[in-house]
Amino acid sequence: PVHFGHLRPALEVQQALGLKEVRFIPAGQPPHRDLPHATKTQRLAMLRAAIDDQPGFVVDEREVQRAGPSYMVDTLADVRGEAGQAPVLLLIGQDAANMLDSWHCWRDLFSLAHLVVMRRPDAHFRCTGELQQQIERRRVAESGDLLQAPAGKVMSLEVTQLDISSTLIRRLIAAKRSPQFLLPDPVLEYIRQEQLYDAS
């Protein structure tokens, strides 16, 4: 389920970069892991419950509505087609950035969007080889640099560290323990109504 570890960094990036819109895109069929525990309808409902009142936060359904494995390169190609020459920013965590070269057609991502790496204080840049070279030559320090081109730059932003995971929340619920204060109350209420993640 969506939790504050997702939401707080997104808000901090939105405010730091002055973004009018931040899109949350739930994965349809993730190629790197098992299918999600909740149905696509349930995951969309939880996401809407979490962000409906936050200005500029938007649910984007394109991956859950698309058949087959969800590859970010396909999603960004769709977004780029809609955005024209406007800047598009892909927000990812440092851990994901460190493994970017394991993503499908990862080199193409730079032609479709800028990369904004949300870095917690204890996270480290651990890329090697071609990925390291690509990131280093594209790195910028100022948010204004991201607005000068539609894609191709990489910027790191430090965000508040919240050691929360969806796995932890599911385990707590399965153990009949409350995950309150780890995720928004409307999301927790929806989980209870739907009896999601209950081990019984």
Side-chain angles (χ1 to χ4, degrees):
V2 62
H3 53 71
F4 291 132
H6 300 124
L7 301 171
R8 180 66 203 180
L11 178 63
E12 292 178 4
V13 173
Q14 180 191 34
Q15 293 178 342
L17 302 182
L19 304 180
K20 293 179 182 175
E21 182 178 277
V22 175
R23 295 186 186 189
F24 290 79
I25 308 177
Q29 184 179 326
H32 293 305
R33 59 182 191 269
D34 294 336
L35 287 172
H37 292 73
T39 67
K40 69 179 183 181
T41 300
Q42 291 169 328
R43 289 185 297 122
L44 287 168
M46 286 188 283
L47 188 51
R48 287 195 185 92
I51 69 172
D52 267 353
D53 293 336
Q54 180 59 40
F57 279 17
V58 176
V59 176
D60 188 321
E61 297 186 15
R62 74 185 69 221
E63 284 200 6
V64 295
Q65 302 300 349
R66 188 169 61 221
S70 300
Y71 294 115
M72 183 53 67
V73 68
D74 297 332
T75 300
L76 285 179
D78 284 350
V79 173
R80 171 53 59 205
E82 297 168 0
Q85 291 302 299
V88 172
L89 285 61
L90 173 62
L91 313 183
I92 64 173
Q94 182 68 67
D95 291 344
N98 287 342
M99 300 188 310
L100 197 68
D101 54 359
S102 71
W103 292 23
H104 181 65
C105 297
W106 67 273
R107 295 172 189 85
D108 296 338
L109 299 174
F110 297 111
S111 66
L112 298 169
H114 298 300
L115 191 67
V116 177
V117 181
M118 300 178 290
R119 186 172 45 83
R120 298 172 312 201
D122 70 342
H124 300 287
F125 178 63
R126 289 200 171 95
C127 305
T128 59
E130 184 186 352
L131 176 58
Q132 181 180 15
Q133 295 168 8
Q134 288 273 9
I135 287 180
E136 290 300 344
R137 74 182 181 85
R138 297 172 183 279
R139 191 181 293 281
V140 297
E142 299 296 328
S143 59
D145 294 330
L146 301 177
L147 306 179
Q148 303 304 313
K153 306 293 184 188
V154 177
M155 182 177 182
S156 291
L157 278 179
E158 188 166 308
V159 295
T160 300
Q161 181 164 336
L162 296 174
D163 192 12
I164 304 171
S165 73
S166 299
T167 301
L168 169 65
I169 291 169
R170 290 193 301 268
R171 285 178 181 159
L172 288 171
I173 293 169
K176 308 262 187 247
R177 296 170 61 196
S178 174
Q180 192 172 11
F181 308 124
L182 298 177
L183 71 172
D185 287 341
V187 178
L188 180 54
E189 181 59 30
Y190 181 84
I191 289 170
R192 287 171 173 160
Q193 287 175 1
E194 294 289 306
Q195 297 181 330
L196 280 171
Y197 316 123
D198 196 326
S200 59

